[in-house]
Amino acid sequence: MPSMIQAIRMALHVGETRHGVTDIFGEDVGPPLGGVFTGTQGLKTAWNTPLDERGIVGMAIGLALAGQKPIAEIQFCDYAFNTIDLLKVAGNLCWASGGDWNVPMVLMTPVGAGIRGSMYHSHSFDAQATRIPGWKIVMPSTPLDAYGLLLSAIKDPNPVMFLMPKALLRVKSKAGEEIPGAPLDDKVLGQLIDAPLGDRTSWAPQWPPLEDYYVPIGKARVVREGTHVSVLSYGRNVPMALAAADELAADGVDAEVIDLRSLHPYDWDAITASVTKTHRVLCVNEDTEITNFGEHLIRRICEELFYELYAPPKLLAGAAIPGIGLADHLEMASVPQKDGIKTAIAELAAHEP
Amino acid sequence: MPSMIQAIRMALHVGETRHGVTDIFGEDVGPPLGGVFTGTQGLKTAWNTPLDERGIVGMAIGLALAGQKPIAEIQFCDYAFNTIDLLKVAGNLCWASGGDWNVPMVLMTPVGAGIRGSMYHSHSFDAQATRIPGWKIVMPSTPLDAYGLLLSAIKDPNPVMFLMPKALLRVKSKAGEEIPGAPLDDKVLGQLIDAPLGDRTSWAPQWPPLEDYYVPIGKARVVREGTHVSVLSYGRNVPMALAAADELAADGVDAEVIDLRSLHPYDWDAITASVTKTHRVLCVNEDTEITNFGEHLIRRICEELFYELYAPPKLLAGAAIPGIGLADHLEMASVPQKDGIKTAIAELAAHEP
Amino acid sequence: MSTTLSASTPTTLTSPRMSAELSLRIYDLMLRARVLEERLISMYKQGEGYFWIGGPGEEAFNVPLGLLVDKGQGVDHDYMHLHYRSSGTLLALGADPIDSLRQMRNVSTDPYSRGRNFAGHYSVRAWNVVPVSSPIEVQFSMAIGTARAQRKGTGAKGITIVQGGDAGSAEGDFATALVWSSRKGHELPLLMLVTNNRWGISTAYEGQHGYSQIADRGKAFGMPTAVVDGNDPEASYAALHKAIDYVRTEKKPYLLEAMVSRLRGHSSASGANIVKGEVDCVERYEQTLEARKLKTRGECDELRARYAQELLDASKRIANEPAPEPSTIWDHVFADKNLVGGE
Amino acid sequence: MSTTLSASTPTTLTSPRMSAELSLRIYDLMLRARVLEERLISMYKQGEGYFWIGGPGEEAFNVPLGLLVDKGQGVDHDYMHLHYRSSGTLLALGADPIDSLRQMRNVSTDPYSRGRNFAGHYSVRAWNVVPVSSPIEVQFSMAIGTARAQRKGTGAKGITIVQGGDAGSAEGDFATALVWSSRKGHELPLLMLVTNNRWGISTAYEGQHGYSQIADRGKAFGMPTAVVDGNDPEASYAALHKAIDYVRTEKKPYLLEAMVSRLRGHSSASGANIVKGEVDCVERYEQTLEARKLKTRGECDELRARYAQELLDASKRIANEPAPEPSTIWDHVFADKNLVGGE
Ligand SMILES: Cc1ncc(C[n+]2csc(CCOP(=O)(O)OP(=O)(O)O)c2C)c(N)n1
Ligand SMILES: Cc1ncc(C[n+]2csc(CCOP(=O)(O)OP(=O)(O)O)c2C)c(N)n1
Ligand SMILES: [Mg+2]
Ligand SMILES: [Mg+2]
């Protein structure tokens, strides 16, 4: 079964062959490397840019204004913080011009901890991203969702940010989550689309007959149904929360795990349905915990569903410190881990008004 | 009585004459203009930089590393969004070096709406600022607090952001809020320290015998005591909230208005004391309402004071749209106004569990 | 590779005499642009608008620019990433000045921003005029994108033109445009224009730059550069013509700096009053045309009076046009279904 | 104003013969630096660290740099804003290589970052070595600040040195350093160093730049520029000596580009294996010293083996040093009372 990074590569291939993608670019995105996570190997429209994130974002905006369909990559979201003003411009040109112009670009960037990336390969971007109006923001937790969300992003007439959970990029699809048209056998798929090590000058990928598949932007996915606690999460923390919930089932705790998938717009109906069922909420994400997107969800839940709550809603997020340290202990102590999620769910479930 | 911008100018003068401030700089900060809001007129260490915010922030970091005491200005916070990465570096050098280095710089920048600034002279910065670990963040709502917070910022060994509420810069001190050493008479003060219109080449300010006065970073101020509702705010919205509360007193609604003054670190004790007294919370600020600092306060209040709450906590903030429109109607509809605050307080006060 | 017309030398004499017809057309547009700015300033001073910024002093350069671009929509026409002093260019492109009055009044009929943005913040998709953004110099980072869509090999007939001021060239985005447009083997059809009025708000050019001319910065990148007297419409026309031809045929970058005046100061924030000691390109060109017997003083004055009256009437016509509705703040956040937050 | 030593010409011959003592000192430090990087790479490959990045291939330039700076704390000494390939410079300054091993192991005894940052991310306040930050080129924006604290008139004796790679010069921050350091009448004592290995991770120099040498970009700013063979320690020493003298005496900026090798690829992410076809400056200098009868092959091999053994022993010595405690993540967020959030 394909990994998330292979799913992303396949969606990009479908995008450039069938859906008008004209440029896939960023630092080390083109040959020979094809991306530091291999996400852009073998793509015919992939090219290497100068080492200048402002130029990369500006290039994408300009291409989009010229009616192209650019997909820009910022190598690590840690290096996107010198472009926030340009991301704001991308998000405001349609509004500023009263609808005269639109900016159909996709920005993809790896986010989060989990690869021992130390201070500058562990940043999250969800809180920052949700602060930039005019953007749609998606973040998959499975290869299939990555495939379907990226194709939806490519079709969208607005700027769409595609956040790639670094720690999940090499995780493979589960049964039942096949990518339509992709071979099931890892080896076969790898031989078709993975670039060889060493010299690649004569290599060309052989793409399987991939089919279109769309995950609508704005729709969450119930990963695990449950009745005691609603866990609202996305990206890397979704499989963690699922594992925590499964382990807790033994102790009779039945948690519902929801993968938001879209951070903006987000699926308020799904959140409402779950909270009115479980009456207990845990938001989990890796971003720093002061002025965090999970706090927006909790604020809105408190404003609109206050009397549905049988326990104080809880946020489990990254420590509000300047970076994530390299040493294992430090990283573990800085972002949510399975055991912490488990404890938080159990406490919420045990809480009686 | 002095205006907030005069109070800021006087604090900067005290800083450069008595507290080691070596450089006060930014676009149009030096002669002849002395700042687009006159905040840096007549200061001996004020100078004009190139039009390059990244250079301005980098310059401040470098000066601080070299043991100087720089005060950098970003002309409008709307133009600070291309420097977020550098602000993050300023906030992480002490942590990254395990305490080897520190960065004693002050960054001041005008924020918020209220001067019909349209899309790029109306931004708020409080949500973005509170997302940058390693920084202390303050925002005054009176001239005296501006004076005392700025002097505390100058003395602080860390990077401190001094957010200047644009709409209040020309508002004058109230009785009882005199700046120690400054003449009470507007005309007298103006003649001493305001630069004349026209040619200023031969002008020099005459500084009154100003005294040190410090508002500790991290301490809120109860602007109005009340028992029914706690209004947590800062900057421009504080006088609005106060006016709303005073008007509501007639209808028997007794709201407590708290000016946080420090956004990071913030005064959790003051918040706790107020909420455990009133049991009803309204957070008011102008920044966009998705992933907003008020949502952090509400999240923490819900986590730690849930059973103290007799009503759903409420946030009144800026609309989550790409900009603030120029036309009056548009600006009014985009950020909190007095009537909206009044309604929100009244609804909370009327709410029974 | 690099041509330099110094700003001081009387370039009118060096440049070939222009046809009377074109001279008069340029003069007419310069005058219309000047009168438009004066109307906008009076509107501001009479409280009919909150803020003014614009281009009095740049007409001699911006009008020829508007006349020389290939106007239209899409990659086969020229993209323009302008800044906030471009009224001359817009009028030369055929914009109706009444729309500038509408933006000044921030009424719902403002076609450029629906009452949302400041005066001079144009946006005309049908003419490839991308929205003017207030943040200085970001247009230089975006322009490389439209230029790439028109690069050699695409078959696109258009080029990209980006314009900014002198102080703004200190932003990294200016360097971004230089670096990205000149990559060997990947050059972009990008014309970079710097209108140098020797000021950034209150900050003088002197003491802020290490080169004598901003155009010099292009030389290391192997692109042609030039400096032109932007107060001379004929020299400007010639310099722009040469630069645009080069970019269009070579599909490579070019950096052109124009020395211009700032006749009303930076903006209404500094009073928008007449500044002494600056060359007035309209007056200067009127003298040239008088000397050439193409216009008389009387004709010029009469024309100016007529245009002023037309705009005064126009401002009255729009006096009762409605302000945008508060609820419209939610419009156009997205190009498709407008879904803010989550529903 | 501008001197250019081409990277191709055999600059060893043109540069005056160096004293035997200094030659041997430089060689010794180059070798120690090389052996240190090799130890770090083996530690990475043996799972004793998570990530390696460093300077094999830059020793011939970085060692002379470390020998030539005025070392100490404060404005009367030289500030160094380095990047992540500076082990040669640090050893030349007198750093103990064992501390680099500690950072590689991210143990609590790592004096540079307390186990928080990647290998090669040095910080030594006592020597004005500001913390190496991973984001490319931000050091160029910060360096103007320490340089201003040392500008003409302050009486400060030190200068500021900033170093980055070739690809990174595309960032706006590189232009920021050029613009701010060369402002007429406000020049800064800033030495800008570009170590050009012709790669940015996997992206070749060719096709990414519009100039033949990055140093050319300094010319428009009126600053002296030079290109030196960074694989030649004596040419590098001479070029650095000249540049540092100029900056120290003139208190003005200078841009020096060194052509260097990248002997182990970009980092451990690309395998950290030996790359063919790159000049090895240590081997090349050993041949020079042999030719000059200052060293024999045997002495070189013996020295290398000894240093390798010393570092192997050192790595064993620190094998049991403790990892940082989880609770330490909260330390040093602030320089004073550590108050995160609100208490
Ligand atoms: C990024 C940014 N910083 C600051 C400002 C505020 N500002 C508006 S115009 C201006 C001066 C621009 O000078 P110049 O680039 O020479 O253009 P000019 O106005 O002289 O035509 C400044 C500092 C801004 N709009 N954008
Ligand atoms: C702002 C930023 N963008 C991207 C990266 C990822 N990155 C690390 S090193 C590197 C290449 C740097 O190349 P160069 O500047 O030539 O230095 P070299 O590594 O070749 O010495 C990149 C893209 C980064 N660290 N910082
Ligand atoms: Mg200017
Ligand atoms: Mg390199």
Side-chain angles (χ1 to χ4, degrees):
Chain A
M1 298 279 278
S3 65
M4 185 184 289
I5 198 68
Q6 287 174 317
I8 288 167
R9 207 189 304 152
M10 291 190 282
L12 293 172
H13 166 72
V14 171
E16 67 178 9
T17 47
R18 295 208 293 270
H19 301 304
V21 169
T22 54
D23 291 87
I24 300 169
F25 56 98
E27 294 154 11
D28 306 293
V29 159
L33 191 59
V36 290
F37 292 100
T38 77
T40 52
Q41 288 180 348
L43 298 168
K44 64 176 195 283
T45 62
W47 55 281
N48 290 328
T49 66
L51 206 176
D52 173 16
E53 289 73 21
R54 296 186 60 75
I56 291 168
V57 173
M59 170 61 71
I61 297 171
L63 283 165
L65 291 173
Q68 315 290 296
K69 172 56 82 170
I71 300 182
E73 175 177 275
I74 299 295
Q75 197 165 66
F76 292 90
C77 76
D78 311 57
Y79 304 126
F81 291 93
N82 58 343
T83 69
I84 305 303
D85 63 319
L86 288 167
L87 297 178
K88 285 167 70 73
V89 169
N92 75 27
L93 287 178
C94 182
W95 191 88
S97 64
D100 191 22
W101 291 83
N102 65 312
V103 185
M105 65 180 273
V106 176
L107 185 78
M108 44 185 235
T109 188
V111 301
I115 63 163
R116 290 156 166 162
S118 183
M119 287 187 68
Y120 275 97
H121 300 77
S122 304
H123 269 98
S124 290
F125 207 66
D126 44 297
Q128 180 72 63
T130 52
R131 286 207 39 71
I132 309 178
W135 280 78
K136 296 185 180 179
I137 300 141
V138 300
M139 185 166 179
S141 74
T142 69
L144 184 60
D145 280 349
Y147 186 79
L149 285 169
L150 187 45
L151 284 178
S152 294
I154 288 168
K155 289 271 194 149
D156 203 275
N158 302 290
V160 182
M161 217 177 287
F162 182 80
L163 303 180
M164 302 154 68
K166 227 178 278 150
L168 301 182
L169 291 176
R170 294 189 163 79
V171 176
K172 296 189 183 307
S173 264
K174 294 210 208 66
E177 298 180 353
E178 293 76 16
I179 303 228
L184 302 183
D185 183 301
D186 291 8
K187 285 218 180 38
V188 175
L189 180 62
Q191 276 152 7
L192 290 174
I193 70 169
D194 292 347
L197 296 176
D199 180 29
R200 298 166 171 184
T201 41
S202 57
W203 170 76
Q206 294 160 283
W207 299 101
L210 296 159
E211 294 162 31
D212 284 6
Y213 171 80
Y214 298 97
V215 171
I217 295 177
K219 289 271 160 284
R221 184 168 58 91
V222 178
V223 176
R224 183 189 195 284
E225 292 207 349
T227 54
H228 296 162
V229 179
S230 299
V231 184
L232 308 180
S233 191
Y234 40 84
R236 180 192 177 200
N237 294 133
V238 170
M240 267 187 202
L242 180 60
D246 288 343
E247 292 179 21
L248 282 166
D251 324 352
V253 176
D254 182 25
E256 177 150 296
V257 178
I258 292 184
D259 180 353
L260 284 186
R261 301 196 296 190
S262 290
L263 280 56
H264 194 273
Y266 54 84
D267 192 341
W268 182 242
D269 294 344
I271 294 169
T272 307
S274 184
V275 173
T276 49
K277 177 173 64 172
T278 66
H279 310 290
R280 292 174 172 79
V281 184
L282 173 67
C283 287
V284 187
N285 68 65
E286 290 192 326
D287 214 332
T288 49
E289 68 193 342
I290 296 178
T291 311
N292 173 294
F293 177 60
E295 296 181 317
H296 168 69
L297 297 174
I298 287 173
R299 187 269 297 183
R300 188 167 177 192
I301 288 166
C302 288
E303 269 186 23
E304 301 187 25
L305 303 170
F306 193 66
Y307 292 105
E308 292 290 338
L309 296 172
Y310 296 175
K314 187 166 172 51
L315 173 72
L316 211 60
I321 54 177
I324 290 180
L326 178 58
D328 234 29
H329 285 96
L330 302 181
E331 177 171 327
M332 295 293 167
S334 302
V335 290
Q337 306 295 334
K338 191 188 73 189
D339 290 348
I341 298 173
K342 221 172 135 176
T343 313
I345 295 173
E347 282 172 9
L348 278 166
H351 186 99
E352 285 307 330
Chain B
M1 298 280 279
S3 66
M4 185 183 287
I5 198 69
Q6 286 174 317
I8 288 167
R9 207 189 305 154
M10 290 190 283
L12 293 172
H13 166 71
V14 171
E16 69 178 6
T17 47
R18 294 208 292 271
H19 301 304
V21 169
T22 54
D23 291 87
I24 299 169
F25 55 99
E27 294 154 12
D28 306 293
V29 159
L33 191 58
V36 290
F37 292 100
T38 76
T40 51
Q41 288 179 349
L43 297 169
K44 62 176 196 284
T45 63
W47 54 281
N48 290 327
T49 66
L51 205 175
D52 173 17
E53 289 74 21
R54 295 187 61 74
I56 291 168
V57 174
M59 170 61 71
I61 296 172
L63 283 165
L65 291 173
Q68 313 291 297
K69 173 55 83 171
I71 300 183
E73 175 176 276
I74 299 294
Q75 195 164 67
F76 292 89
C77 76
D78 311 58
Y79 304 125
F81 291 93
N82 58 343
T83 70
I84 305 303
D85 62 319
L86 288 167
L87 297 177
K88 286 167 69 72
V89 169
N92 74 27
L93 287 177
C94 182
W95 191 89
S97 63
D100 191 23
W101 290 84
N102 65 310
V103 186
M105 65 179 274
V106 175
L107 184 79
M108 44 184 235
T109 188
V111 301
I115 64 161
R116 289 157 167 160
S118 182
M119 288 187 68
Y120 275 97
H121 300 78
S122 304
H123 269 97
S124 290
F125 207 65
D126 44 298
Q128 179 72 62
T130 52
R131 284 208 41 72
I132 309 178
W135 280 80
K136 296 185 179 178
I137 299 142
V138 300
M139 186 166 178
S141 73
T142 70
L144 183 61
D145 280 349
Y147 186 80
L149 285 169
L150 188 46
L151 284 178
S152 294
I154 287 168
K155 289 271 193 152
D156 203 276
N158 302 289
V160 181
M161 217 178 285
F162 183 79
L163 304 180
M164 302 154 67
K166 226 178 279 148
L168 301 182
L169 290 176
R170 295 190 162 77
V171 177
K172 297 187 183 309
S173 263
K174 293 209 212 66
E177 297 180 355
E178 292 78 15
I179 304 229
L184 303 185
D185 182 304
D186 291 8
K187 283 216 181 37
V188 175
L189 180 62
Q191 275 151 10
L192 291 173
I193 70 168
D194 291 347
L197 296 177
D199 181 29
R200 297 166 173 185
T201 42
S202 58
W203 170 77
Q206 293 160 283
W207 299 100
L210 295 159
E211 294 162 29
D212 284 6
Y213 170 81
Y214 298 96
V215 171
I217 295 176
K219 291 271 161 280
R221 184 168 59 92
V222 179
V223 176
R224 182 187 196 284
E225 293 207 350
T227 54
H228 297 163
V229 179
S230 299
V231 183
L232 308 180
S233 191
Y234 41 83
R236 180 191 177 201
N237 294 133
V238 170
M240 267 185 202
L242 180 60
D246 289 343
E247 292 181 21
L248 282 166
D251 323 354
V253 175
D254 181 27
E256 177 150 294
V257 178
I258 293 183
D259 180 354
L260 284 186
R261 302 194 297 190
S262 290
L263 279 56
H264 194 273
Y266 54 83
D267 193 341
W268 182 242
D269 294 343
I271 293 169
T272 306
S274 184
V275 173
T276 49
K277 176 173 67 173
T278 66
H279 310 290
R280 293 173 171 80
V281 184
L282 173 67
C283 288
V284 187
N285 69 63
E286 290 192 326
D287 214 332
T288 49
E289 67 194 343
I290 296 179
T291 312
N292 173 293
F293 178 60
E295 294 180 320
H296 168 69
L297 297 175
I298 287 173
R299 187 270 296 183
R300 189 167 176 191
I301 288 166
C302 288
E303 270 187 21
E304 301 187 26
L305 304 170
F306 193 66
Y307 292 105
E308 294 289 339
L309 295 173
Y310 296 175
K314 188 166 171 53
L315 172 72
L316 211 61
I321 53 177
I324 290 180
L326 177 58
D328 234 29
H329 284 98
L330 302 181
E331 178 172 326
M332 295 291 168
S334 301
V335 290
Q337 305 296 333
K338 192 188 72 186
D339 291 348
I341 298 173
K342 220 172 135 177
T343 312
I345 295 174
E347 282 172 7
L348 278 165
H351 186 100
E352 284 308 330
Chain C
M1 202 50 175
S2 157
T3 67
T4 298
L5 330 169
S6 144
S8 43
T9 56
T11 31
T12 31
L13 305 184
T14 63
S15 61
R17 173 68 65 91
M18 189 177 261
S19 77
E21 186 199 1
L22 181 54
S23 307
L24 292 172
R25 175 128 179 268
I26 290 175
Y27 166 64
D28 185 70
L29 285 161
M30 285 171 63
L31 186 61
R32 288 174 183 273
R34 175 64 55 83
V35 170
L36 169 59
E37 294 290 5
E38 281 165 355
R39 165 90 333 246
L40 293 171
I41 291 169
S42 335
M43 286 173 74
Y44 164 76
K45 294 193 172 184
Q46 288 152 26
E48 294 174 39
Y50 300 129
F51 180 79
W52 169 82
I53 191 161
E58 299 196 6
E59 297 90 346
F61 185 77
N62 291 342
V63 163
L65 173 61
L67 291 175
L68 285 162
V69 298
D70 177 336
K71 179 176 114 181
Q73 184 166 351
V75 294
D76 286 329
H77 303 279
D78 300 345
Y79 283 99
M80 279 158 284
H81 302 258
L82 306 172
H83 73 155
Y84 42 71
R85 304 203 189 275
S86 300
S87 51
T89 305
L90 267 286
L91 289 190
L93 285 168
D96 185 338
I98 197 169
D99 288 332
S100 295
L101 308 188
R102 292 185 162 112
Q103 189 171 42
M104 173 50 99
R105 283 194 81 98
N106 46 85
V107 284
S108 61
T109 48
D110 153 27
Y112 303 127
S113 69
R114 305 262 170 260
R116 293 170 174 184
N117 220 337
F118 279 154
H121 285 58
Y122 297 101
S123 167
V124 187
R125 188 170 197 169
W127 298 345
N128 280 355
V129 175
V130 310
V132 171
S133 286
S134 298
I136 295 292
E137 228 63 4
V138 292
Q139 68 271 30
F140 281 80
S141 284
M142 297 189 280
I144 58 176
T146 52
R148 177 170 167 89
Q150 300 168 312
R151 71 190 181 282
K152 199 182 217 106
T154 59
K157 295 190 190 62
I159 68 169
T160 290
I161 298 165
V162 59
Q163 183 172 26
D166 51 305
S169 67
E171 295 275 6
D173 301 83
F174 184 73
T176 287
L178 292 171
V179 168
W180 288 64
S181 65
S182 64
R183 295 167 58 213
K184 289 199 181 119
H186 307 280
E187 292 83 357
L188 300 177
L190 179 65
L191 173 57
M192 288 164 273
L193 302 175
V194 176
T195 31
N196 183 349
N197 58 18
R198 303 178 319 286
W199 291 102
I201 303 188
S202 72
T203 304
Y205 184 89
E206 291 63 39
Q208 296 296 345
H209 305 269
Y211 27 79
S212 41
Q213 295 289 163
I214 289 166
D216 297 342
R217 287 186 61 185
K219 291 176 183 169
F221 298 84
M223 66 183 69
T225 67
V227 180
V228 65
D229 177 359
N231 275 315
D232 179 336
E234 302 189 1
S236 297
Y237 189 94
L240 280 162
H241 201 305
K242 180 179 177 187
I244 289 173
D245 282 355
Y246 173 88
V247 175
R248 206 180 298 284
T249 50
E250 297 294 320
K251 292 278 180 190
K252 288 183 174 173
Y254 192 111
L255 174 56
L256 174 61
E257 176 178 8
M259 305 307 295
V260 297
S261 296
R262 197 179 70 167
L263 297 176
R264 293 303 200 106
H266 177 68
S267 71
S268 55
S270 48
N273 301 316
I274 289 161
V275 177
K276 290 185 195 33
E278 297 259 333
V279 175
D280 182 326
C281 60
V282 173
E283 282 177 13
R284 198 171 90 169
Y285 201 42
E286 285 176 343
Q287 286 153 18
T288 309
L289 296 180
E290 281 180 79
R292 292 196 201 148
K293 304 275 180 290
L294 292 172
K295 281 272 176 215
T296 67
R297 181 77 255 147
E299 288 170 332
C300 294
D301 298 345
E302 183 265 329
L303 204 58
R304 184 183 286 250
R306 204 178 87 220
Y307 291 154
Q309 187 58 48
E310 283 175 13
L311 283 178
L312 183 58
D313 299 345
S315 69
K316 295 200 179 109
R317 272 209 308 291
I318 63 160
N320 300 321
E321 290 182 344
E325 287 301 319
S327 64
T328 60
I329 65 171
W330 299 104
D331 299 344
H332 308 300
V333 173
F334 290 111
D336 55 342
K337 180 157 184 291
N338 203 19
L339 201 61
V340 177
E343 279 127 65
Chain D
M1 205 47 180
S2 156
T3 69
T4 299
L5 329 169
S6 143
S8 43
T9 57
T11 32
T12 32
L13 306 184
T14 61
S15 59
R17 174 68 64 92
M18 187 177 263
S19 77
E21 186 199 1
L22 181 54
S23 305
L24 292 170
R25 176 128 179 269
I26 290 175
Y27 165 64
D28 186 69
L29 285 162
M30 285 170 64
L31 186 61
R32 288 174 184 273
R34 175 64 56 82
V35 170
L36 169 59
E37 294 289 5
E38 281 167 354
R39 166 86 342 237
L40 293 171
I41 290 169
S42 329
M43 285 173 75
Y44 163 76
K45 292 193 172 182
Q46 288 152 25
E48 295 174 39
Y50 301 129
F51 181 79
W52 169 82
I53 191 161
E58 300 196 5
E59 297 90 347
F61 185 78
N62 291 342
V63 163
L65 173 61
L67 292 175
L68 284 162
V69 297
D70 177 335
K71 179 176 113 181
Q73 185 166 351
V75 294
D76 287 329
H77 302 279
D78 299 346
Y79 282 99
M80 278 159 284
H81 302 258
L82 306 173
H83 73 155
Y84 42 71
R85 303 202 189 277
S86 299
S87 51
T89 304
L90 267 286
L91 290 190
L93 285 168
D96 185 338
I98 198 169
D99 288 333
S100 294
L101 308 187
R102 292 187 162 111
Q103 190 172 41
M104 172 52 93
R105 283 195 82 99
N106 47 84
V107 283
S108 59
T109 48
D110 153 27
Y112 304 127
S113 69
R114 306 259 170 261
R116 293 171 173 184
N117 220 336
F118 279 153
H121 285 58
Y122 297 102
S123 167
V124 187
R125 189 171 195 168
W127 298 346
N128 280 357
V129 175
V130 310
V132 171
S133 286
S134 298
I136 295 292
E137 229 63 5
V138 292
Q139 68 272 29
F140 281 80
S141 284
M142 297 188 281
I144 57 175
T146 52
R148 177 170 166 88
Q150 302 168 311
R151 71 190 182 281
K152 197 182 216 108
T154 59
K157 296 189 192 62
I159 66 170
T160 290
I161 298 164
V162 60
Q163 182 172 28
D166 50 306
S169 66
E171 295 275 6
D173 301 85
F174 183 73
T176 288
L178 292 172
V179 168
W180 287 63
S181 65
S182 64
R183 295 166 59 214
K184 286 194 182 127
H186 307 279
E187 292 82 356
L188 300 177
L190 180 64
L191 173 56
M192 287 163 274
L193 303 175
V194 176
T195 32
N196 183 349
N197 58 18
R198 303 177 320 283
W199 291 102
I201 303 187
S202 71
T203 303
Y205 184 88
E206 290 62 40
Q208 296 295 344
H209 305 270
Y211 28 78
S212 41
Q213 295 289 166
I214 289 165
D216 297 341
R217 287 186 60 185
K219 292 176 182 169
F221 298 84
M223 65 182 71
T225 67
V227 180
V228 65
D229 178 0
N231 275 316
D232 179 335
E234 303 190 359
S236 296
Y237 189 94
L240 280 161
H241 202 305
K242 180 179 176 188
I244 289 172
D245 282 355
Y246 173 87
V247 175
R248 206 181 298 286
T249 51
E250 298 294 320
K251 293 279 182 189
K252 288 184 174 173
Y254 192 111
L255 175 56
L256 175 61
E257 176 178 8
M259 305 307 295
V260 298
S261 295
R262 197 179 70 168
L263 297 175
R264 294 302 199 105
H266 177 68
S267 70
S268 56
S270 48
N273 300 316
I274 289 161
V275 177
K276 290 182 194 38
E278 298 259 333
V279 175
D280 182 326
C281 60
V282 173
E283 282 177 13
R284 196 171 91 169
Y285 201 44
E286 286 176 343
Q287 287 152 19
T288 309
L289 297 179
E290 281 181 78
R292 294 196 199 147
K293 304 271 179 291
L294 292 172
K295 282 271 175 215
T296 67
R297 181 77 255 145
E299 288 170 331
C300 295
D301 298 345
E302 184 265 329
L303 205 57
R304 183 183 285 250
R306 205 177 85 217
Y307 291 153
Q309 187 58 47
E310 283 174 15
L311 283 179
L312 184 60
D313 300 344
S315 69
K316 295 201 180 106
R317 274 211 305 291
I318 63 160
N320 299 322
E321 289 182 345
E325 289 299 319
S327 63
T328 61
I329 64 172
W330 299 103
D331 300 343
H332 308 300
V333 174
F334 290 112
D336 54 343
K337 179 155 184 293
N338 202 19
L339 201 62
V340 177
E343 278 125 65

